[in-house]
Amino acid sequence: MELPLILASQSPARAGLLRKAGIPFDTVVSHVDEDALVAAEGPLSPRETALRLARAKAEAVAQLPGSENRLVLGCDSVFELDGVSYGKPYEAEVAVQRIAAMSGRTGTLHTGHWLVDTRREPALGEGAVASADVRFAHMSAAEIRDYVATGEPLQVAGSFTLDGRGSVFVEQVVGDPNAVIGLSLSTLRELLRAVGVSATAWWDGTAQSDRS
């Protein structure tokens, strides 16, 4: 039996997906300064940005005490509209403007995944991006204001969620819906296979929740 995965993210949505998939994990927050990292990297595409941030989170946690001989997963999501990257809006007015621009249109949600295997010397890193196109309904100004007032879109990439209130505005998803939520389980399965680990090896019926 492998030790629990380390999830380098404090996202409740990602934690929930791992729980439902029966993959035990510990949570360790990376504290990576995402804005500073993106600024230092220079121009990156939305897809590249998602993968670079995921890698930074995983590698930061992999260097911390307690990560030895473990598998560390970093994830980051970036929403793309008209070729522009959109992360978390943080402020209500920013969220209102972004959601208004998304109304009645289709954007792409990119989720980067980076898995560090610290059981090897040197540590081995593998990464992949899962993307999905999201078509939004036409939203009235009142609906947008009501949604932003809940606070839900302020701390999520693209200013919407698929597993919360924002789902009422999503008409169609083309691609892996879990990637839109924040973690593609099929992508994780392939990354685990690349380092010789089967996700099903954890299915012993005893480890079903976050141990952190």
Side-chain angles (χ1 to χ4, degrees), residues 104-181:
R105 304 183 63 199
T106 298
T108 304
L109 197 292
H110 305 283
T111 292
H113 307 71
W114 196 270
L115 186 72
V116 176
D117 184 355
T118 69
R119 302 171 306 171
R120 303 168 188 250
E121 183 59 44
L124 175 67
E126 297 279 346
V129 179
S131 303
D133 293 332
V134 183
R135 188 175 74 197
F136 297 95
H138 288 278
M139 295 171 260
S140 68
E143 286 177 318
I144 294 172
R145 288 284 180 184
D146 287 345
Y147 180 42
V148 173
T150 69
E152 180 182 275
L154 302 185
Q155 298 292 328
V156 291
S159 310
F160 77 98
T161 63
L162 188 61
D163 57 339
R165 294 180 177 90
S167 60
V168 302
F169 304 121
V170 176
E171 291 187 335
Q172 184 180 41
V173 173
V174 179
D176 186 344
N178 286 333
V180 180
I181 295 173

Side-chain angles (χ1 to χ4, degrees), residues 52-78:
R52 182 66 188 89
L53 290 171
R55 179 174 183 173
K57 292 178 180 180
E59 291 181 340
V61 170
Q63 296 174 17
L64 297 176
S67 297
E68 303 87 354
N69 297 311
R70 301 285 294 273
L71 298 172
V72 182
L73 175 66
C75 296
D76 196 85
S77 299
V78 175

Side-chain angles (χ1 to χ4, degrees), residues 31-49:
H31 299 296
V32 167
D33 188 332
E34 299 178 23
D35 293 336
L37 178 62
V38 170
E41 288 287 329
L44 293 173
S45 70
R47 185 181 180 89
E48 291 169 336
T49 299

